[in-house]
Amino acid sequence: MTAPAADRARYDRATAHLDAPLAIVDLDAFDANADDLVRRAAGKPVRVASKSVRCRALLERVLARDGFQGIMSFTLAESLWLARSGFDDILLAYPSADRSGFAELAADPKLAGAVTVMIDDVAHLDLIDAARDGGREVVRVCLELDTSLKLLGGRIRVGALRSPLHSPAQLAELARAVARRPGFRLVGIMAYEGHIAGVGDSVTGRPLRSRAIRLMQAAARRELVERRAAVVRAVRAVAPGLEFVNGGGTGSVQHTAAEDAVTEIAAGSGLYVPRLFDNYTSFSGRPAALFAQPVVRRPGVGVVTVLGGGYPASGAAGPDRLPVPCLPEGLRYDPQEGPGEVQTPLLGSPADDLLIGDKVWFRHAKAGELCERFEVLQLIEGDAVTATVPTYRGEGQTFL
């Protein structure tokens, strides 16, 4: 029996008493992936990206392991909810315009001590001050560095459109603005190199494209190593008490960890290992999060139809944003229909061995977005479900 076939047999046995649709996390794979992130971080703590997990029980599980420290959140409302739930080291990875959230933060010493907010513009400071509503707590802030690679005098840009702060001088100027502003304390710098950490460099069937990506990423790493170090020096000259410099992402952990200027690594998708992380030469992980849809029709030879399954991921629309049927192996979408909101036809010889009510297992394209579709995760160890835990959605929390 092949390894995928053995996994399918385990998952089917473990969930035989449960009706699909359902979602699982294989804890053996999850823990192995956590160990691999720690190994690649080489002694630097890994801050867990909650966007890629979206389940409090699994955040608690991974943070209880050696090598992990703190959460990187994605909205201010989520940050405050996590802080009220007992998490005490939360870095908000994106600027916010949540005025009511800032009023809560500035009025509560527990929340203000646990949450660090992201800024890249003096306007963010102005918005927070205007939202305080009498709250006098000091707000912890982090500056975000734009990691994009700029070529030909800036006419070519490689990287996500995030922070406008690209040069050491720009970050030092904003650091001085924070230092002059009562009610704020600068505690960190964040730099997410998505064009390195979030782009696979071994695209199946595309050797020339893969080589071009590797060359781009190597050039981007060289440029960023020098610029990030210069940024940290410039900001520390203004704020010598800087607590952390965060960098990385699942696909670049070992490279970022090797930088002296970086004190901690951010990662999250590497715990679940969704399909977008299959095409990397820098690491390989075990798929840990899957969902199952039930067979509800057998329209003909070599065809079955499952209920639902059309769960596209965020980002530029394309085939790589779709879930992929993975167990049993050999199933594919009908090119005329693709994965549908209500039904999904699947083609291939394995369809003839599937009966009404059988489960087909899928992998989502992006990690935590799977949890927006399911209220609970079935946690599997070996061939048994050992716990059922709520996702954010299952706790009534849908932050975006």
Side-chain angles (χ1 to χ4, degrees):
M1 184 182 293
T2 65
D7 283 340
R8 180 194 174 202
R10 284 197 301 116
Y11 300 153
D12 282 347
R13 285 195 300 270
T15 63
H17 62 297
L18 298 171
D19 289 332
L22 59 84
I24 66 167
V25 171
D26 183 334
L27 290 180
D28 294 333
F30 182 89
D31 290 345
N33 293 334
D35 288 341
D36 185 63
L37 288 172
V38 170
R39 177 189 63 79
R40 291 197 287 138
K44 292 186 177 177
V46 178
R47 185 180 290 273
V48 183
S50 62
K51 183 172 74 72
S52 301
V53 179
R54 302 192 205 197
C55 171
R56 280 200 300 163
L58 290 174
L59 288 173
E60 291 168 353
R61 182 184 183 91
V62 72
L63 286 170
R65 303 176 70 86
D66 290 341
F68 289 88
Q69 180 180 306
I71 290 174
M72 177 176 282
S73 58
F74 59 97
T75 73
L76 182 56
E78 180 211 13
S79 305
L80 300 178
W81 177 65
L82 290 173
R84 292 191 192 96
S85 302
F87 297 96
D88 60 4
D89 180 5
I90 303 159
L91 170 62
L92 175 57
Y94 304 87
S96 176
D98 180 353
R99 291 175 174 83
S100 63
F102 283 128
E104 291 181 53
L105 182 70
D108 188 318
K110 177 184 175 182
L111 298 179
V115 176
T116 300
V117 304
M118 191 65 60
I119 69 167
D120 59 35
D121 195 306
V122 171
H124 294 135
L125 301 177
D126 295 338
L127 187 147
I128 296 169
D129 267 340
R132 283 179 181 273
D133 194 26
R136 296 177 177 271
E137 295 299 323
V138 172
V139 175
R140 294 165 53 86
V141 299
C142 177
L143 309 183
E144 181 171 2
L145 165 67
D146 169 36
T147 64
S148 65
L149 175 64
K150 295 185 177 182
L151 304 170
L152 300 179
R155 292 191 294 276
I156 295 177
R157 174 196 178 101
V158 181
L161 289 165
R162 292 177 62 111
S163 170
L165 305 176
H166 191 81
S167 70
Q170 289 174 311
L171 278 97
E173 180 180 359
L174 186 53
R176 285 189 289 271
V178 175
R180 290 192 298 265
R181 182 80 67 110
F184 294 92
R185 182 165 74 251
L186 176 58
V187 298
I189 299 171
M190 188 194 83
Y192 171 58
E193 53 265 37
H195 51 302
I196 303 171
V199 177
D201 63 350
S202 181
V203 184
T204 302
R206 303 288 298 275
L208 294 179
R209 176 175 173 78
S210 298
R211 177 168 172 76
I213 291 172
R214 287 194 290 272
L215 290 172
M216 175 275 292
Q217 290 178 337
R221 280 196 299 269
R222 288 193 298 270
E223 187 273 340
L224 184 58
V225 166
E226 294 185 5
R227 182 160 54 89
R228 180 153 41 197
V231 163
V232 172
R233 288 193 299 270
V235 173
R236 285 196 186 278
V238 178
L242 208 64
E243 296 175 14
F244 64 84
V245 177
N246 180 283
T250 288
S252 67
V253 170
Q254 63 269 41
H255 300 296
T256 309
E259 295 184 37
D260 291 337
V262 173
T263 66
E264 64 175 39
I265 308 299
S269 294
L271 295 168
Y272 287 170
V273 186
R275 66 165 295 198
L276 278 177
F277 284 83
D278 286 347
N279 301 319
Y280 285 76
T281 57
S282 61
F283 85 105
S284 61
R286 292 172 55 184
L290 300 91
F291 67 93
Q293 303 296 117
V295 174
V296 293
R297 286 177 171 163
R298 291 169 51 87
V301 175
V303 186
V304 293
T305 302
V306 299
L307 184 70
Y311 304 155
S314 61
D320 65 337
R321 302 291 148 164
L322 300 179
V324 59
C326 58
L327 300 173
E329 293 183 282
L331 293 173
R332 64 187 186 279
Y333 293 125
D334 180 341
Q336 300 303 313
E337 294 196 43
E341 179 187 15
V342 178
Q343 71 162 35
T344 297
L346 297 170
L347 313 180
S349 58
D352 294 330
D353 296 323
L354 292 168
L355 305 176
I356 301 295
D358 283 352
K359 295 180 177 78
V360 174
W361 295 91
F362 294 75
R363 294 171 64 202
H364 202 274
K366 296 185 79 171
E369 292 182 15
L370 168 65
C371 295
E372 297 299 324
R373 301 287 182 168
F374 294 90
E375 293 186 350
V376 298
L377 298 173
Q378 308 295 337
L379 305 186
I380 291 181
E381 296 181 78
D383 60 359
V385 171
T386 56
T388 300
V389 297
T391 61
Y392 280 12
R393 173 179 167 173
E395 296 199 70
Q397 304 295 333
T398 51
F399 297 110
L400 282 177

